[in-house]
Amino acid sequence: MQDSAPVVAARKGAGITQGWLLLGVGLAMLAAMLVLTIFAPLVAPYDPSVTSPDSLAPASAAHWLGTDSIGRDVLSRLIVGGRTTLLITVSAVLIALVAGLILGLAAGYLGGRTDEIIMRLLDVVFAFPVLLLAIAVVAALGPSVPNLILTIAIVYTPAMARVVRAPVLSVKQWDHVEAARSVGMSEMRLVLRHILPIVVSPILVATSLTLSQTIFTVTALSFLGLGPPPPDPNWGGMLSEARQFMELAPLTVVGPALAIVFATLTFIIIANGLREVLDVGSVR
Amino acid sequence: MTGSLLRVSDLTATVTTRREVIQAVRGISFDINADEAVGFVGESGCGKSVTAKALMRLAPEGASIGLGGSVAFWGQELLGLGEDEMRDLRGRRIAMVFQDPMTSLNPVMSIGAQMSDMLRRHLGLSAKAARERSVELLDLVGIPDPARRVDDFPHQFSGGQRQRVMIAIAISCEPDLLIADEPTTALDVTVQAQILRLLLRLREERGMALMLITHDFGVVAGMVDRVNVMYRGEIVEAGPVDDVFARPQHAYTRALLDAVPRLQGAGAVR
Amino acid sequence: MTRFVLGRLAWMAAILLGVSFVAFMLMRAIPGDFAIAAAGSQSVAPEVLATIRRDLGLDQPLMAQYLSWLGAALTGDFGKSFVTRQPVLGELLNRLIVTIQLTLLAAVIAAVMGVASGLAAARLRGATDWLVRLWNGLMLAVPNYVVATLIVLLFGLYFPEITVLGYTPFLESPLGNLASLLLPAIALALAVSVTIAENTRAAVLEVANQDFVMVARAKGLTPAAILRDYLMRNALTPVITAAGLKIAALLGGSILVETIFAIPGMGQYLFDSINSRDYPVIQAIVLVAAGIVVLVNTMIDIAYARVDARVQM
């Protein structure tokens, strides 16, 4: 039976507008970050690797965020370091995404034995604390930008595969998939036309959440000395280097700390915005 | 005890949720005398449930409710009462049985604990006395082996038994008015009749007033003295139950009556 | 029930086997010669390297190496440190105790903070809800090592007389032990408390919508009684489960926080071992930490299933 009570006033659909607002803010933050880092060499006021006798200088017109312990400009290092950090983050997540898509689609769509084997193997990787596994892999492979990307990709692939698999499993039962199959649509087209679009929303949300977690893992590895080798700057490494002298030059710590928080926040905001706009339930 | 137990005049209820504002009850007036059973009939969303909750000043969770008009209980105006005084009244003087017994009991508390907490709160019983009283009440509503079952958890009871437990809870503090909001809707047909008979028996034994809310004219037949038909937040027809059955005035009432299977007839609790 | 428990335990054993294999293979995947790494120097006489190879069993087939390593590990023999030449186990146990102390303290802090703020947000709504969610949203973006670094920085700048670095053993001074772990534990707990707060908030909001809460109100119970017996008792089961699963995050986070606060736990041990390329130690820590996580998760699974069997929502 229908609700026959007269509705006096419908209140604003708060969810939708708030979602778009979050998404807009997040994308704007991302755009700002990308522009700064892509054009880093042009934007950075100094060469990030050039030292000067003016070490641990406070903020000034010449050095907005001061200089570090061997006189390098902190702002320039932040901008150029962001390039390395974001490059590793984004490429690693993209690889994890593709690997997760392949594994998740295969597991969910083929089902049975294949599903069992793929998911069980991923469970083993999933059993490790993320950071610990990343540390072990990088320690084994040796720290370099390609190795870091590979490591992070390995670490986050199981989570991605899980996110892909769940909706595939449920979509598979749907009638229109059956219908498409009955009219002889090829398996490949079936997956691309009918299954992929349904799984895209949760994947988008999960990807941006994973990006925020990856920022954490990448910078944490660099913080532990497992980041890209010096002298190229990166946020985690800068934070770690700055700790020794931080009471003399707090900005050397605050700068990279804020950058890390800003980047993480960007992806979290985008994830939440996407979640509301796409009306995806809580992922994970 | 006779006389006007509850006198409701021009009651309005506006429910405000996050999404919308609903004028659920739009100026209704009715009386319930002590010792009387009154039925409220209407389709879902007609405002009958909100009326029941309004009498106890309960807002649906996540919504706020704005009340207007007057609700006099034994001559005392309830709408102006403080929350503490209202709380003393709920369960003690006006009690309620809800629609779905499967979700109305707390899954992680034993039946006895859920009966005792109210007995202790309103009657100031000791834990031991409250437990003994709970066993008596379970026996009264027809739960077999009550001394053992009092420590069982809700999931160990069937739907009908759970509704019996809910009724036991509702009558435990001997309220003056029992509001039963669709008490049989969620139950099997055979169990429905048992629950209705139990309500009828308890009402006669204890002499409490009953407000029976339902969408089903078949349920009020033989249960109540008078009936109010609600539609879109208003009472569109009121009168002695036999009159309404025999000579429905409002088109909506006729439609509701037509929905009752003929062979049940009027005036019979199955 | 017994079948379920046995199934979970068998599954746990399988995962641990997989985990041990990964831990073993990772350390065999290091670039260059494992024997050279073991010798700790590039310029070693070939005869010495041959001896090392034989001692470590590197001349055996890979599977045989794995099995003998696994067999030794099961009896607590994780080999000898490349640096100290001492058995790994003794030092590892000392470190593990410290890390467990830190992790447990952090878990308690996170649970108290998380449940309290999540509950406040869900019940009070309005401005409180808004503030808690804003705080949660922000804190989610602040990694624990940044929090730790900033705590050290702030104390260094404003309270230089307070020692925030270092560790006092429990036997030396129980109170000093607690004091030395408090700030690291807070740094570690913050991010986890945010998750617990969000979970609590969601669980309480969901339970609040249940009919039995309306029934409890209609019974005239006091808000405190409703909160305690009806809301919290129902909301806490999923919250505890989610919180238990965060043990992994706490263990992972302790690597960073211990390093920053100079706490001689397993995390700092790992950090030192990475810098000195002490592979047997890295291997042992990875195995033990992953093992703890798998163990804890399995226990939570079983406990949750038991609660579920009793309650059956």
Side-chain angles (χ1 to χ4, degrees):
Chain A
M1 263 177 274
Q2 276 300 302
D3 190 325
S4 63
V7 174
V8 175
R11 303 181 103 194
K12 253 193 244 151
I16 299 296
T17 34
Q18 202 185 328
W20 283 108
L21 184 71
L22 278 175
L23 194 57
V25 170
L27 289 176
M29 287 165 77
L30 180 64
M33 221 159 47
L34 286 180
V35 166
L36 268 183
T37 49
I38 287 172
F39 300 105
L42 303 173
V43 180
Y46 295 86
D47 183 327
S49 306
V50 169
T51 60
S52 77
D54 187 15
S55 68
L56 296 176
S60 64
H63 300 283
W64 289 6
L65 290 177
T67 59
D68 71 2
S69 57
I70 48 175
R72 297 175 297 196
D73 181 55
V74 172
L75 181 63
S76 303
R77 288 181 67 75
L78 263 190
I79 295 170
V80 177
R83 199 180 202 196
T84 321
T85 307
L86 288 178
L87 173 77
I88 297 172
T89 304
V90 172
S91 16
V93 172
L94 283 181
I95 295 174
L97 176 64
V98 171
L101 264 178
I102 295 171
L103 290 170
L105 278 175
Y109 184 70
L110 298 175
R113 253 292 136 76
T114 322
D115 183 29
E116 190 79 0
I117 292 171
I118 293 177
M119 295 322 285
R120 292 302 164 247
L121 286 179
L122 292 180
D123 275 347
V124 173
V125 182
F126 216 68
F128 289 90
V130 167
L131 186 59
L132 189 73
L133 182 61
I135 287 172
V137 177
V138 180
L141 299 178
S144 71
V145 172
N147 284 350
L148 278 166
I149 294 176
L150 181 67
T151 303
I152 306 277
I154 292 173
V155 170
Y156 285 107
T157 297
M160 282 300 191
R162 285 187 173 191
V163 172
V164 176
R165 179 176 166 268
V168 171
L169 275 182
S170 64
V171 165
K172 225 175 80 174
Q173 323 284 341
W174 288 8
D175 290 345
H176 72 267
V177 177
E178 284 302 317
R181 188 179 287 146
S182 69
V183 299
M185 194 182 264
S186 76
E187 298 278 304
M188 198 61 199
R189 260 190 83 202
L190 189 65
V191 172
L192 291 180
R193 282 285 300 277
H194 288 276
I195 298 186
L196 212 55
I198 312 280
V199 302
V200 162
S201 299
I203 292 173
L204 277 177
V205 176
T207 304
S208 57
L209 274 183
T210 306
L211 279 167
S212 73
Q213 290 160 5
T214 306
I215 294 275
F216 167 79
T217 310
V218 171
T219 52
L221 285 173
S222 316
F223 186 83
L224 289 172
L226 291 169
D232 284 347
N234 69 77
W235 293 344
M238 289 175 69
L239 190 62
S240 176
E241 285 163 25
R243 286 197 301 138
Q244 257 183 299
F245 307 98
M246 62 186 173
E247 279 146 42
L248 298 171
L251 274 180
T252 55
V253 167
V254 174
L258 280 182
I260 293 167
V261 172
F262 184 86
T264 316
L265 201 57
T266 300
F267 292 119
I268 291 179
I269 290 175
I270 292 177
N272 283 327
L274 280 175
R275 182 153 35 204
E276 295 201 11
V277 168
L278 299 174
D279 199 19
V280 180
S282 150
V283 177
R284 267 175 272 175
Chain B
M1 210 163 20
T2 51
S4 190
L5 171 72
L6 188 74
R7 170 157 288 168
V8 175
S9 347
D10 202 25
L11 177 71
T12 58
T14 310
V15 179
T16 308
T17 68
R18 277 183 63 175
R19 297 202 180 281
E20 58 199 10
V21 182
I22 300 168
Q23 182 117 48
V25 178
R26 303 195 291 172
I28 63 172
S29 303
F30 60 90
D31 283 7
I32 297 180
N33 294 324
D35 216 0
E36 189 185 30
V38 177
F40 280 75
V41 187
E43 63 191 1
S44 72
C46 72
K48 57 193 195 304
S49 282
V50 175
T51 305
K53 291 198 172 79
L55 299 183
M56 295 183 87
R57 299 243 318 265
L58 291 170
E61 178 69 33
S64 61
I65 190 165
L67 299 174
S70 159
V71 175
F73 182 73
W74 288 130
Q76 184 183 28
E77 178 56 51
L78 294 189
L79 297 194
L81 225 50
E83 179 58 27
D84 285 351
E85 292 161 293
M86 201 58 221
R87 207 179 293 128
D88 288 338
L89 206 112
R90 287 185 199 129
R92 176 72 190 86
R93 312 293 301 278
I94 307 178
M96 193 157 168
V97 176
F98 291 82
Q99 174 169 352
D100 190 352
M102 304 310 277
T103 57
S104 292
L105 288 161
N106 181 352
V108 299
M109 275 172 91
S110 72
I111 296 297
Q114 293 185 64
M115 301 184 73
S116 299
D117 60 359
M118 181 159 144
L119 287 164
R120 300 184 66 179
R121 155 96 175 86
H122 287 307
L123 305 182
L125 299 183
S126 69
K128 192 163 170 286
R131 190 189 145 88
E132 282 165 9
R133 183 95 187 90
S134 303
V135 174
E136 289 168 26
L137 284 161
L138 287 178
D139 191 37
L140 185 71
V141 297
I143 301 284
D145 197 5
R148 191 176 57 80
R149 308 252 21 212
V150 70
D151 293 322
D152 282 351
F153 284 82
H155 69 88
Q156 291 162 297
F157 292 82
S158 70
Q161 283 179 323
R162 287 194 217 187
Q163 196 62 306
R164 287 173 188 271
V165 171
M166 289 307 298
I167 292 171
I169 291 175
I171 62 164
S172 64
C173 297
E174 308 199 332
D176 302 329
L177 173 64
L178 178 66
I179 303 174
D181 185 2
E182 302 266 14
T184 59
T185 308
L187 302 173
D188 291 343
V189 179
T190 48
V191 182
Q192 285 186 8
Q194 293 168 10
I195 294 294
L196 288 177
R197 268 201 297 274
L198 174 67
L199 280 173
L200 203 61
R201 193 190 91 213
L202 290 171
R203 194 179 83 75
E204 278 162 7
E205 282 174 13
R206 319 216 136 203
M208 56 186 177
L210 175 70
M211 178 173 172
L212 180 63
I213 296 168
T214 178
H215 65 277
D216 182 359
F217 255 113
V219 167
V220 293
M223 283 290 295
V224 300
D225 310 308
R226 287 188 298 120
V227 66
N228 294 297
V229 180
M230 282 191 76
Y231 179 64
R232 291 181 68 92
E234 287 169 359
I235 292 178
V236 293
E237 182 157 2
V241 68
D242 295 338
D243 291 358
V244 174
F245 260 95
R247 289 173 296 280
Q249 302 297 310
H250 198 274
Y252 178 68
T253 313
R254 281 196 288 277
L256 280 179
L257 278 170
D258 285 342
V260 181
R262 273 295 151 221
L263 89 193
Q264 282 178 357
V269 172
R270 290 138 294 174
Chain C
M1 195 61 213
T2 320
R3 246 188 95 173
F4 174 80
V5 172
L6 288 178
R8 288 312 300 178
L9 290 178
W11 174 231
M12 181 181 91
I15 288 276
L16 284 176
L17 205 63
V19 163
S20 70
F21 189 69
V22 172
F24 173 82
M25 287 312 290
L26 276 177
M27 292 307 124
R28 287 294 182 275
I30 56 170
D33 192 331
F34 196 75
I36 292 176
S41 158
Q42 292 282 349
S43 51
V44 184
E47 311 83 70
V48 180
L49 275 183
T51 319
I52 292 175
R53 276 207 186 86
R54 208 171 41 250
D55 286 352
L56 291 175
L58 293 177
D59 46 356
Q60 306 280 317
L62 208 57
M63 273 320 278
Q65 287 185 42
Y66 167 63
L67 288 178
S68 69
W69 171 79
L70 181 65
L74 283 176
T75 60
D77 175 8
F78 294 107
K80 284 183 180 154
S81 158
F82 286 175
V83 175
T84 62
R85 307 286 163 195
Q86 296 296 311
V88 174
L89 182 68
E91 182 67 11
L92 185 66
L93 283 180
N94 289 338
R95 303 292 192 128
L96 187 59
I97 292 169
V98 176
T99 296
I100 288 177
Q101 277 183 35
L102 176 64
T103 308
L104 284 182
L105 185 60
V108 170
I109 293 173
V112 171
M113 282 178 53
V115 170
S117 64
L119 189 61
R123 287 320 285 168
L124 303 176
R125 304 305 303 265
T128 312
D129 192 19
W130 196 83
L131 273 177
V132 168
R133 300 214 80 189
L134 186 70
W135 165 259
N136 286 350
L138 280 176
M139 285 318 292
L140 214 53
V142 187
N144 48 28
Y145 65 92
V146 171
V147 175
T149 307
L150 291 180
I151 289 179
V152 174
L153 174 63
L154 287 178
F155 273 81
L157 285 178
Y158 299 108
F159 309 100
E161 66 280 5
I162 299 176
T163 321
V164 293
L165 303 183
Y167 170 74
T168 313
F170 185 79
L171 291 176
E172 199 174 288
S173 151
L175 218 62
N177 174 263
L178 190 68
S180 68
L181 288 177
L182 192 62
L183 286 175
I186 289 175
L188 195 52
L190 271 182
V192 175
S193 82
V194 166
T195 316
I196 296 179
E198 286 289 312
N199 284 332
T200 307
R201 180 181 173 279
V204 170
L205 283 179
E206 197 189 314
V207 174
N209 270 322
Q210 301 281 330
D211 288 345
F212 58 77
V213 176
M214 175 64 81
V215 172
R217 289 200 284 150
K219 281 158 80 173
L221 299 180
T222 59
I226 296 175
L227 183 67
R228 190 184 64 229
D229 295 337
Y230 290 77
L231 286 172
M232 287 315 280
R233 273 169 79 167
N234 281 286
L236 274 187
T237 314
V239 168
I240 289 170
T241 312
L245 295 174
K246 281 282 155 190
I247 294 284
L250 286 177
L251 265 182
S254 70
I255 300 169
L256 295 150
V257 171
E258 283 173 11
T259 308
I260 294 166
F261 281 96
I263 306 282
M266 212 164 62
Q268 197 201 38
Y269 194 28
L270 178 64
F271 180 72
D272 294 343
S273 306
I274 289 167
N275 285 334
S276 56
R277 312 217 171 280
D278 197 344
Y279 293 110
V281 176
I282 301 177
Q283 201 171 30
I285 292 174
V286 169
L287 185 64
V288 168
I292 292 175
V293 171
V294 173
L295 197 72
V296 169
N297 288 355
T298 307
M299 286 183 340
I300 291 169
D301 261 8
I302 293 175
Y304 191 66
R306 287 195 63 156
V307 173
D308 231 24
R310 186 171 63 83
V311 171
Q312 272 168 6
M313 290 282 281

